[in-house]
Amino acid sequence: MSAYILRRLLFMIPTLFGIMLVSFVVVQFAPGGPVERVIAQISGSDTGATSRISGSSGGDFGPRGQMGGSQIDATTSKYRGAQGLDPAFIEKLEKQFGFDKPAYERFFIMLKNYATFDFGESYFRDVRVIDLIKEKLPVSMSLGVWMMLLTYLISIPLGIRKAVSDGSHFDVWTSGVIIIGYAIPGFLFAILLIILFAGGSFFDWFPLRGLTSDNWAALSWWQKILDYFWHLVLPIVSMGLGAFATMTLLTKNSFLDEIRKQYVLTARAKGCTERQVLYGHVFRNAMLLIIAGFPGAFVSAFFSGSLLIETIFSLDGLGLLGFESVLNRDYPVVFATLYIFSLVGLIVNLLSDLTYTWVDPRIDFETREV
């Protein structure tokens, strides 16, 4: 098993390289960029990004966006909207953002820095990217951890119960509720919860924004815990709706498929109780399919699945950070979050494979190729 783990760890290197290379190439051909964002902000045609340009304020600019009294024609510049700006200023912008180097050189410099988890500084936030991610991570972790925990703790027992009582009244009506829940988009359900329970039109039982109250510092430790979970109720319910439905049906179908196999009939013929058959024989085999889907569900819950929920409930997490960084062409944040998400996904995928061997010792990855 140690040789297999080593091969998988080594295989992560070319995988990460390929992910970053494809993303970097796509960005090179995408319209716009940090230089264009700054130029647009200077010309007054864009206010979406907060620039951090040294020497771009106060007396450096004359009327109508002139710098140092010289102008250039738009046809001589490779940047849209650069007319009226000094070429030296454009070169200064390119140097500050690193665009004075060839693309291949910038790519390998980025990989070298990322190998030591040096992600540089944000273009427009004047803060180190790693500090920015650390600042936003607790919000995404709060949503992801509790959503995954509640989903698995509720969906797996419910799915087993539905499989055991397949075709019963309980199975039919719970399936109807689950299908309806799956069909409702999470962001629409979040809006509905706000209208019903967050002071929209009916009740004002839950807070609308943030993970803590304004008087958080003045609360006792047990009041802080209650306040924290009080703020989490609506976001977690909104995020977990689709995952809950998917996991419940996946568990039911997986257990149904195993219950109908020959070894279950043999175990019953030997006098095993239904509980022994279900949890002593069926459980391990049925859980393999659920474990297989864990890496994707994990990454989605922590990073990519919370964007709309974070926006609706004003939660400043990684999902919202990544989205805003893409809009603002804040490439250090975009590539850093992509690198971290990809690395975490690969590690979780490896842990998922190792869990296979714990659930079912018959699985041997040692003799298989990566």
Side-chain angles (χ1 to χ4, degrees):
M1 181 58 67
S2 58
Y4 172 77
I5 295 176
L6 180 60
R7 291 200 305 269
R8 286 292 298 271
L9 291 175
L10 293 176
F11 188 70
M12 291 181 185
I13 297 176
T15 303
L16 279 174
F17 179 84
I19 293 173
M20 300 306 295
L21 176 61
V22 171
S23 303
F24 188 85
V25 171
V26 170
V27 166
Q28 302 310 304
F29 291 98
V35 176
E36 287 89 338
R37 296 287 293 187
V38 174
I39 292 174
Q41 188 178 32
I42 292 173
S43 63
S45 60
D46 182 90
T47 58
T50 303
S51 62
R52 182 181 57 86
I53 305 303
S54 57
S56 63
S57 62
D60 292 334
F61 290 91
R64 302 170 56 186
Q66 299 176 6
M67 181 178 180
S70 63
Q71 299 185 18
I72 62 174
D73 187 76
T75 59
T76 64
S77 175
K78 61 182 177 179
Y79 299 109
R80 180 183 301 176
Q83 63 270 24
L85 295 179
D86 188 355
F89 175 67
I90 302 299
E91 292 177 3
K92 187 177 181 181
L93 285 180
E94 290 180 331
K95 184 176 181 179
Q96 181 164 337
F97 290 127
F99 287 92
D100 57 326
K101 301 180 178 66
Y104 70 89
E105 185 176 346
R106 287 187 279 117
F107 176 70
F108 284 106
I109 290 175
M110 180 183 70
L111 291 184
K112 178 183 176 181
N113 294 333
Y114 282 16
T116 57
F117 292 92
D118 179 11
F119 301 113
E121 290 191 359
S122 168
Y123 284 161
F124 302 108
R125 295 174 185 260
D126 197 21
V127 65
R128 294 173 64 235
V129 174
I130 190 65
D131 294 334
L132 194 60
I133 293 176
K134 288 179 181 179
E135 178 187 345
K136 312 299 181 181
L137 186 60
V139 174
S140 295
M141 286 192 64
S142 295
L143 296 176
V145 166
W146 293 114
M147 193 203 76
M148 292 292 295
L149 183 62
L150 291 177
T151 297
Y152 275 79
L153 288 179
I154 297 175
S155 297
I156 291 178
L158 179 59
I160 295 174
R161 171 70 186 280
K162 286 173 63 61
V164 172
S165 58
D166 182 43
S168 66
H169 179 69
F170 172 81
D171 179 46
V172 172
W173 75 262
T174 52
S175 294
V177 173
I178 290 172
I179 292 173
I180 294 174
Y182 182 76
I184 301 176
F187 71 94
L188 287 181
F189 192 67
I191 295 174
L192 176 62
L193 291 178
I194 290 175
I195 294 174
L196 293 177
F197 303 113
S201 300
F202 296 90
F203 305 102
D204 191 9
W205 293 347
F206 296 97
L208 183 58
R209 60 181 66 244
L211 286 181
T212 57
S213 299
D214 295 335
N215 62 337
W216 167 265
L219 299 177
S220 61
W221 66 268
W222 64 270
Q223 289 176 324
K224 289 182 178 180
I225 295 176
L226 292 178
D227 182 76
Y228 170 73
F229 285 107
W230 182 46
H231 283 76
L232 276 178
V233 171
L234 297 188
I236 292 299
V237 172
S238 304
M239 283 185 61
L241 187 64
F244 167 77
T246 301
M247 183 59 61
T248 301
L249 293 179
L250 179 63
T251 303
K252 175 192 173 182
N253 293 334
S254 181
F255 272 80
L256 272 180
D257 185 57
E258 293 296 326
I259 288 173
R260 294 166 180 168
K261 290 185 177 179
Q262 185 64 39
Y263 74 88
V264 176
L265 297 177
T266 303
R268 288 171 176 166
K270 290 182 177 181
C272 295
T273 64
E274 284 298 314
R275 186 175 184 83
Q276 289 174 329
V277 171
L278 191 62
Y279 293 100
H281 299 276
V282 175
F283 186 81
R284 284 191 171 185
N285 295 328
M287 286 298 293
L288 290 177
L289 185 60
I290 299 171
I291 294 174
F294 179 78
F298 178 89
V299 175
S300 176
F302 275 82
F303 305 116
S304 60
S306 59
L307 169 60
L308 292 176
I309 302 301
E310 288 181 7
T311 303
I312 292 173
F313 290 100
S314 300
L315 302 174
D316 196 7
L318 290 177
L320 188 59
L321 172 66
F323 178 70
E324 291 179 346
S325 300
V326 171
L327 291 182
N328 292 333
R329 303 299 194 268
D330 199 347
Y331 292 151
V333 179
V334 173
F335 286 120
T337 52
L338 175 65
Y339 179 83
I340 293 175
F341 295 173
S342 302
L343 181 61
V344 170
L346 291 171
I347 294 175
V348 171
N349 202 2
L350 174 59
L351 295 177
S352 178
D353 288 346
L354 297 179
T355 308
Y356 279 142
T357 62
W358 175 72
V359 175
D360 190 348
R362 297 172 299 175
I363 297 177
D364 184 14
F365 289 110
E366 191 74 24
T367 57
R368 298 180 58 186
E369 296 292 333
V370 178

